[in-house]
Each structure stands twice: as structure tokens, then as C-alpha cells.
């Protein structure tokens, strides 16, 4: 069964995202280390989308879907921003100073947290980024 949350592309929504993740993970009995990895991966992706994919001041929405897939967790982000290059998601060049977001956005950490990272553009011109994490 999947759980879905849709947020506007504002950094203030990180707390709502974290609360959503914690409730979901606790209901499924994830160990503390896996909960922390899930939260870190989701936080870094969300921060990246808000600070690097959307243009400053551009309104938008980001849907987050969590699904328990047996031994793995599927974490999906779907946004309405312009297309972006997913290669930046796993390179050290993706590290970006972002003082307005409270520090560095480090998507190069995502591959270490997850099993795989998939990006594609949907038929309705949305970006979809999927991270699979081992339970």
C-alpha cells in the first residue's frame, strides 16, 4: 500500500515531509537506522528540487509517494518543474552551497543511501525521481 503527500515547492515544507516520513516508517516498524536513511534521502531530494530545479520564485508542487515493496522501500518524487539532468544527482558536482536552505544540498549522498535511483520525464511533462532503499 502506498502513502502520498503533496507539498508546494517551499523549504518550509521540510518539517511536514519529515513528520510524514517518521509516521510512515514507525507504522512499518523500520529500525532507527533505516528511518534515518529514508529521512536523509527524502530531505536531500526535496531540498535539491526546491533549490536547484525550480527557478527562484517559481510556484510548483511536489508529490511524494512511499511504498513498501517487501524488502525495499520505493520513494518517489514527482514535480512540475522544468526537466533536469539526473546525472547531477550522483556526482560530487551536485554539492551546492545553499545558505538560504541552511547549508549544503548534497545529492551525491543519495546513491550511498539507496539501492537505485531512476529519473524520467512523464508523458504529462512532469519529472519523476524514484529512489529504492533496502528495508
Amino acid at each position: 500500500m502506498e502513502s502520498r503527500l503533496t507539498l508546494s515547492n517551499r523549504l518550509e515544507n521540510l518539517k511536514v515531509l519529515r513528520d510524514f516520513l517518521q509516521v510512515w516508517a514507525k507504522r512499518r516498524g523500520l529500525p532507527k537506522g533505516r528511518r534515518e536513511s529514508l529521512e536523509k534521502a527524502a530531505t536531500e531530494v526535496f531540498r535539491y528540487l526546491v533549490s536547484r530545479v525550480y527557478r527562484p520564485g517559481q510556484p510548483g508542487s511536489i508529490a511524494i509517494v512511499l511504498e513498501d515493496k517487501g524488502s525495499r522501500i520505493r520513494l518517489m518524487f514527482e514535480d512540475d518543474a522544468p526537466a533536469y539532468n539526473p546525472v547531477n544527482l550522483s556526482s560530487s558536482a551536485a554539492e551546492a552551497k545553499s545558505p538560504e536552505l541552511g547549508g549544503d544540498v548534497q545529492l551525491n549522498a543519495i546513491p550511498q543511501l539507496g539501492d537505485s535511483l531512476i529519473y524520467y520525464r512523464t508523458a504529462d511533462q512532469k519529472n519523476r525521481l524514484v529512489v529504492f532503499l533496502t528495508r
Side-chain angles (χ1 to χ4, degrees), residues 45-99:
V45 171
F46 188 83
R47 289 175 63 194
Y48 178 80
L49 294 173
V50 170
S51 69
R52 298 288 171 221
V53 176
Y54 284 96
R55 292 183 298 274
Q58 176 187 7
S61 67
I62 302 169
I64 300 98
V65 177
L66 277 167
E67 189 173 12
D68 196 342
K69 301 291 253 177
S71 64
R72 298 191 329 162
I73 298 167
R74 179 176 162 258
L75 172 62
M76 185 190 75
F77 289 81
E78 185 174 275
D79 64 76
D80 55 1
Y84 58 92
N85 185 349
V87 171
N88 291 337
L89 296 173
S90 60
S91 69
S92 58
E95 292 183 23
K97 295 286 183 189
S98 184

